[in-house]
Amino acid sequence: MEEISAFPELTAIGLKADLTLAAASDQQPLPRLELIANTGVPFRVASFADPVVVDLAGVTFASDRLPILQDHDTDKRVGHTSRAVVANGQIEASAIVSSRQQLANEIVADLANGFPFQASIGADVLKAERIPAGKTIQVNGRDLDGPLIVARQTRVGEISVTVFGADRQTATRLAASRKRKPKMSEATDTFNVWLEAMGLDRDMLSDTQHESLNEQFDELHAHRADSRRGSDRLEDLRHAEAGEEMRLDAIRAVFKKPEYDEVRQVTVGTKKLDLRSFKKLALTEINEDGQPAWSPDAVELRLMQAYRDRVPAFSVQSVDAEDINGQALSAALCREVAGIPDSTKVHAGLWYEKEVGLKTLFDERTLDASHSKEIRKYASLHALMDLTIQLAGNHYSGSRKSNDFIRTFQRSRHQLQAAGGFTTLEASNLLEDVANKSLLAAFEAQEVVWPLICGVESVADFKTHNRYRLIVGGGYARVGADGELKHGSLKDEKETIRAGTYGEIIALTREHMINDDLGAFMAIPQGLGRLANLRIEEEVFVAILGNAGTFWGSGNNNYIEGATTVIGIAGLTAAEKTFGNFVDTNGLPILVSADRILVGTGDFAVANQLFTSTELRGQTAGTEAAVDNPHAMKFRPIKSPYLNNTAIKRMETGAALSGQSDTHWWLFANPDRIASVVVAFLNGRRTPILEQEEASFEKLGMQWRSYHDWGVALGSEEGSVKSKGAV
């Protein structure tokens, strides 16, 4: 049994009951109503999926004199209460028909003729509790079974005369009225005819009512002139004009309330009006008496009724919660909201191709389930939030654009986490899972080239790690006749590498929640996934370009320059020769061949031609004239704009890259055999991490942190050769 938040939309809820008219006494000339307003039994309210019962022990009254209205319309006044109590297991009230409106007389007349009016109390529910299915609770001396909503604290603000009520055990009665001989004017017979035409019984009228109606009759037939003249009349007009402006301003203010943003249609009589048409009607309609037809309270009540019809309580009763596949829902969200395809190909270089998409993130059975309508209908932020509230056993039927909705969702999320139940379905987990997969899909979809030229290692912490390459010396000598093995020697070549953390906070803000904008939120992890991979790419080329004159230099025998190093047959031949001449510190050959060429965007067409063409012909000076291409299918081309595009800036600082050129290029060996550039990942994790993080107290929303731990370092000089590509 879970306590639930207050329901502001329950103001003027229809706790229906019947209505009674009591006898008038000598001391009380006006007709009186005796009401049984509620008998404490469950009833149905349109905006709730479960029945509602008022705990009579928690009922209070807003005033000693509560308004009596017709159908909760403040423009339709009937009278006021003289007594309102909880007694005999029900809400009882006595009321005086104190209104001079014609409808009050009509209600009295109908009750006198035996019409079975009922009553409806307008109430604020201050505290409520939801009883889940399978639970039994005692309320008002009765054992009641869930599902049920118990209004524990209810404040009654008004009582309305209605035709039908949900609580059919209540009653309304008209007490016998004292017949009085009315005071009549000289036109008694005509006056009586006028009363009968209006449906009024002369004998049912009190002295006060009789005199008031007589005055109206005299004014109607005598056409009495208005006694107010001159300045008094002008002042009255000014007051009337000011009052009308206040009324119009108040009506406009009602339409501006955010809780009615979701209202699209309002029912007035038998017509259904859009919001603009209803606003125009409320501001301009005049009734038969020439008075404005709509008060601000009446407008708000009609909008409130329209909102209840517009936003029913969310329910997952059509689907068994335990049968909802959390991973299938995650896949549906990835497809429908994040836009991740089931499968696509990513190319990076001529021969490098990989498949990314949902097929690499989910199994086939999960993907098939994600296409079902039962799963896809939850693919929105509000649906996920509603689902979390329902799974926690809570209830919310107010505006999805309110802070109360967000708080109810957050409280339900914490309850589920504390209980340890439905974790695969809980919305925050789903959002985290989808955000993770969106980030990963965007990370993998980037056509970066660092995986093609860099070795990959794992480090256990953030310390600076030494990388050793042991070189064996001693000549591997022939064993002599004495069978003695010679002692060799070990040398080490030391390099260092250190991982660092790169990351950012991802926030699901209050604005995202109110706007039901899951797509805008998902764009954040997708953007971070792209940036995470580009950041590795950037650091790799910062290391390559920033050390081109030292790591790749004549002292390391891995650099060539001059006219013959321009990319072409001669240049490739020179670079291949340099690569093949690599020896270790013992003077022994490396015996690893280059198999890929890294070029800028301007040289890619030539590099591709040198790889795919078996013949190269030229008719002018300076062009290749060989018939046979000796380098066909040797060096697979890889292109990167980082080598030559000076428009590229550093992500974090906006600074330009150093060492760029339109002519330089590199030959690389397979980095799995020998790597000149190394990327080290903490604990070997090559993809970014996304973790949920609690938002601070003053923020309505949720947030996650995305981070990635890695570092870049230069490796073996013998893993590549740089060519200047120019004199």
Side-chain angles (χ1 to χ4, degrees):
M1 295 179 287
E2 182 66 32
E3 181 179 320
I4 54 181
S5 58
F7 301 99
E9 74 281 2
L10 289 187
T11 301
I13 59 174
L15 307 184
K16 309 293 175 122
D18 287 348
L19 182 70
T20 304
L21 185 65
S25 66
D26 291 335
Q27 290 75 29
Q28 179 61 58
L30 299 178
R32 290 183 293 110
L33 304 178
E34 292 294 338
L35 304 100
I36 299 174
N38 185 267
T39 60
V41 298
F43 57 92
R44 286 283 181 180
V45 178
S47 58
F48 287 88
D50 300 329
V52 178
V53 63
V54 174
D55 185 351
L56 296 177
V59 171
T60 58
F61 300 94
S63 171
D64 294 335
R65 290 159 55 92
L66 301 177
I68 303 295
L69 309 175
Q70 184 181 42
D71 296 326
H72 304 291
D73 190 337
T74 55
D75 281 347
K76 298 178 179 179
R77 301 180 299 278
V78 178
H80 65 274
T81 63
S82 59
R83 180 184 70 100
V85 295
V86 175
N88 304 314
Q90 57 194 15
I91 299 175
E92 299 178 353
S94 299
I96 303 168
V97 182
S98 56
S99 173
R100 295 179 62 181
Q101 288 190 331
Q102 175 60 27
L103 66 92
N105 292 328
E106 293 175 354
I107 290 173
V108 170
D110 286 346
L111 281 169
N113 291 332
F115 189 87
F117 278 115
Q118 296 183 331
S120 168
I121 68 172
D124 289 327
V125 177
L126 306 179
K127 184 177 181 181
E129 178 182 10
R130 184 177 185 274
I131 311 303
K135 298 289 185 180
T136 301
I137 190 170
Q138 189 174 77
V139 183
N140 302 327
R142 301 178 178 89
D143 290 331
L144 303 176
D145 297 328
L148 186 72
I149 293 176
V150 181
R152 291 297 189 189
Q153 294 180 10
T154 308
R155 182 173 58 212
V156 179
E158 55 94 357
I159 302 176
S160 286
V161 178
T162 60
V163 175
F164 295 105
D167 185 350
R168 299 306 173 92
Q169 300 182 38
T170 57
T172 297
R173 297 179 181 85
L174 176 63
S177 298
R178 181 174 65 88
K179 294 190 176 182
R180 302 170 58 89
K181 185 176 181 180
K183 299 177 182 179
M184 295 181 285
S185 68
E186 295 179 352
T188 300
D189 293 338
T190 306
F191 177 59
N192 289 341
V193 172
W194 183 65
L195 288 177
E196 291 177 3
M198 295 179 65
L200 297 176
D201 186 350
R202 179 182 55 122
D203 291 337
M204 296 294 297
L205 299 175
S206 66
D207 287 348
T208 303
Q209 291 173 319
H210 184 277
E211 292 172 0
S212 176
L213 291 171
N214 212 338
E215 289 177 4
Q216 294 180 40
F217 175 79
D218 290 341
E219 288 177 0
L220 177 65
H221 289 277
H223 303 287
R224 293 181 300 181
D226 191 345
S227 61
R228 290 174 293 183
R229 295 285 190 266
S231 61
D232 290 342
R233 180 62 176 167
L234 180 59
E235 188 66 22
D236 288 343
L237 290 174
R238 287 174 178 170
H239 281 300
E241 183 177 353
E244 176 63 5
E245 286 300 319
M246 291 177 62
R247 184 187 73 90
L248 296 177
D249 289 343
I251 289 176
R252 294 186 184 101
V254 171
F255 279 94
K256 291 179 180 179
K257 291 186 177 182
E259 53 263 40
Y260 302 130
D261 288 346
E262 297 183 21
V263 174
R264 296 292 179 267
Q265 197 174 67
V266 179
T267 301
V268 179
T270 59
K271 296 181 179 180
K272 293 186 180 298
L273 305 177
D274 59 40
L275 205 60
R276 177 179 293 182
S277 299
F278 177 57
K279 183 177 182 180
K280 181 178 180 181
L281 180 72
L283 292 171
T284 60
E285 186 179 19
I286 302 298
N287 59 25
E288 295 178 356
D289 297 332
Q291 299 299 316
W294 293 89
S295 69
D297 288 341
V299 170
E300 180 148 30
L301 180 59
R302 195 60 57 92
L303 287 173
M304 186 185 300
Q305 293 168 342
Y307 176 75
R308 291 175 187 167
D309 294 338
R310 168 68 180 84
V311 187
F314 183 84
S315 175
V316 295
Q317 295 176 357
S318 60
V319 178
D320 189 352
E322 287 83 351
D323 292 338
I324 301 175
N325 187 309
Q327 283 299 299
L329 181 52
S330 177
L333 286 164
C334 286
R335 182 188 303 107
E336 304 293 332
V337 179
I340 302 174
D342 281 10
S343 178
T344 188
K345 299 289 185 181
V346 174
H347 301 268
L350 183 66
W351 84 104
Y352 178 74
E353 178 182 276
K354 63 179 179 179
E355 183 180 37
V356 298
L358 298 183
K359 284 186 177 181
T360 64
L361 302 174
F362 300 95
D363 58 51
E364 185 175 351
R365 183 177 179 181
T366 298
L367 281 182
D368 289 342
S370 70
H371 288 279
S372 73
K373 291 182 179 179
E374 290 296 328
I375 294 295
R376 291 169 59 195
K377 73 179 183 180
Y378 295 104
S380 76
L381 181 56
H382 282 180
L384 286 177
M385 294 169 71
D386 273 316
L387 184 59
T388 299
I389 294 170
Q390 292 285 333
L391 291 174
N394 296 326
H395 183 89
Y396 186 86
S397 62
S399 172
R400 268 58 179 167
K401 296 180 180 296
S402 69
N403 292 342
D404 283 341
F405 180 49
I406 298 175
R407 291 191 180 99
T408 303
F409 158 68
Q410 290 178 319
R411 186 175 70 250
S412 300
R413 181 169 59 86
H414 291 313
Q415 290 170 352
L416 284 176
Q417 290 173 337
F422 298 105
T423 54
T424 60
L425 276 176
E426 198 263 312
S428 65
N429 289 344
L430 280 172
L431 291 173
E432 182 178 348
D433 185 57
V434 175
N436 250 311
K437 288 181 169 59
S438 297
L439 184 145
L440 179 60
F443 182 88
E444 296 290 348
Q446 302 310 303
E447 296 184 5
V448 293
V449 302
W450 68 261
L452 306 178
I453 60 175
C454 297
V456 175
E457 295 185 0
S458 176
V459 292
D461 51 42
F462 295 104
K463 298 177 182 178
T464 298
H465 289 264
N466 295 323
R467 302 175 59 253
Y468 294 95
R469 185 170 57 141
L470 295 179
I471 305 297
V472 179
Y476 206 75
R478 179 176 178 176
V479 179
D482 58 2
E484 181 181 356
L485 293 174
K486 303 294 184 181
H487 287 276
S489 62
L490 290 176
K491 301 178 182 179
D492 61 74
E493 295 181 351
K494 185 173 71 173
E495 300 150 354
T496 62
I497 193 167
R498 183 178 184 274
T501 300
Y502 303 81
E504 194 164 329
I505 295 291
I506 306 174
L508 179 62
T509 66
R510 173 176 175 270
E511 182 177 350
H512 288 135
M513 290 183 171
I514 289 178
N515 292 342
D516 195 14
D517 202 347
L518 190 56
F521 165 69
M522 285 304 166
I524 300 174
Q526 288 176 328
L528 289 180
R530 172 180 176 271
L531 294 178
N533 215 345
L534 286 181
R535 187 58 190 268
I536 300 175
E537 185 90 337
E538 176 186 288
E539 292 301 320
V540 166
F541 279 96
V542 166
I544 291 174
L545 296 172
N547 293 276
T550 53
F551 185 84
W552 287 277
S554 56
N556 290 328
N557 299 316
N558 59 359
Y559 173 71
I560 59 174
E561 62 181 353
T564 59
T565 65
V566 175
I567 188 169
I569 290 180
L572 282 177
T573 300
E576 183 182 32
K577 176 182 177 182
T578 301
F579 209 109
N581 288 336
F582 282 142
V583 295
D584 63 22
T585 56
N586 292 322
L588 300 178
I590 298 297
L591 297 181
V592 175
S593 298
D595 65 354
R596 58 203 69 188
I597 180 173
L598 174 67
V599 297
T601 54
D603 287 336
F604 183 71
V606 175
N608 189 39
Q609 186 181 43
L610 289 168
F611 178 66
T612 59
S613 299
T614 58
E615 294 186 2
L616 294 174
R617 299 176 183 271
Q619 301 298 324
T620 59
T623 63
E624 304 300 342
V627 174
D628 295 323
N629 177 13
H631 300 297
M633 307 306 292
K634 277 187 180 180
F635 308 113
R636 300 178 186 273
I638 304 169
K639 68 176 177 181
S640 174
Y642 282 95
L643 293 182
N644 64 289
N645 186 358
T646 57
I648 296 175
K649 306 298 181 184
R650 298 290 303 272
M651 291 172 60
E652 190 171 354
T653 65
L657 296 173
S658 62
Q660 291 178 309
S661 168
D662 287 328
T663 62
H664 57 190
W665 51 274
W666 277 257
L667 283 186
F668 279 91
N670 185 334
D672 291 338
R673 300 191 64 188
I674 183 170
S676 287
V677 186
V678 176
V679 181
F681 295 96
L682 184 67
N683 297 321
R685 185 182 178 99
R686 298 181 60 169
T687 55
I689 298 171
L690 191 68
E691 295 177 341
Q692 184 182 333
E693 182 181 68
E694 289 301 319
S696 56
F697 176 78
E698 68 273 10
K699 293 183 179 178
L700 277 174
M702 303 169 63
Q703 62 186 23
W704 292 265
R705 56 191 178 203
S706 174
Y707 58 93
H708 201 187
D709 305 311
W710 51 268
V712 175
L714 297 175
S716 300
E717 296 90 341
E718 299 87 357
S720 59
V721 170
K722 178 194 174 183
S723 172
K724 184 177 181 181
V727 177

